[in-house]
Amino acid sequence: QVQLVESGGGLVQAGGSLRLSCAASGRIFSRHVMGWFRQAPGKEREFVAAISWSVSTIAYADSVKGRFTISRDNAQNTVYLQMNSLKPEDTAVYYCARRYDWSTRSSEYEDWGQGTQVTVSS
C-alpha cells in the first residue's frame, strides 16, 4: 500500500497562488498515475488534474486549465499542484490519489491522502 500526505494548503486572496505537495511512501511510486481531486462543502469530489508516471500524459479539469499545473518528481516521490489565479470557487479540500493505470475518475483511484484545505477569499 502507498501512503500519501498532502501539504501546502491555506488561506489566500483571490488572484493569489498556492503550491500543494503530495509525498508518497510505501510501494514504488514511480510507476503510479497520480491525481489531484477536490471536494467543496456539499458537493461531490471532483477531478482536478492527473499525471502519468512518465509525464507523457497530463490532464486537467476545464475549470482549472491555464491556471493550475501538475508536476511530479519521481526521485523525491512527490507530486505537486501549482495553483495560480485562484478564485473563491477553488475553495475545497484537495486530495492526492494514486492508481496504476490512467484514469480521471475518483472512484478508480486506490490510495488517498488525508486532504489539505484551500480557502480562497474574495
Side-chain angles (χ1 to χ4, degrees):
Q1 190 171 356
V2 175
Q3 291 78 45
L4 305 172
V5 179
E6 302 97 336
S7 61
L11 174 64
V12 63
Q13 289 188 332
S17 298
L18 283 174
R19 189 192 195 201
L20 305 183
S21 299
C22 173
S25 61
R27 293 198 326 213
I28 296 173
F29 168 81
S30 62
R31 293 286 177 177
H32 299 172
V33 175
M34 298 299 298
W36 285 99
F37 298 82
R38 67 186 182 187
Q39 188 167 19
K43 294 189 176 181
E44 297 284 323
R45 187 173 298 185
E46 65 175 359
F47 169 74
V48 175
I51 186 169
S52 65
W53 159 66
S54 63
V55 196
S56 61
T57 304
I58 292 176
Y60 296 97
D62 288 343
S63 58
V64 307
K65 278 181 184 176
R67 300 188 298 121
F68 290 11
T69 302
I70 189 171
S71 61
R72 67 190 295 166
D73 183 340
N74 289 339
Q76 298 295 322
N77 291 344
T78 303
V79 64
Y80 304 97
L81 186 68
Q82 178 67 43
M83 305 186 295
N84 299 328
S85 302
L86 283 161
K87 304 175 181 180
E89 51 263 45
D90 294 318
T91 295
V93 177
Y94 283 71
Y95 300 88
C96 69
R98 175 215 72 84
R99 63 174 275 111
Y100 282 112
D101 299 317
W102 180 259
S103 175
T104 61
R105 298 180 179 181
S106 62
S107 60
E108 296 181 351
Y109 278 72
E110 297 156 21
D111 295 298
W112 291 82
Q114 83 288 350
T116 185
Q117 176 71 47
V118 171
T119 303
V120 184
S121 63
S122 57

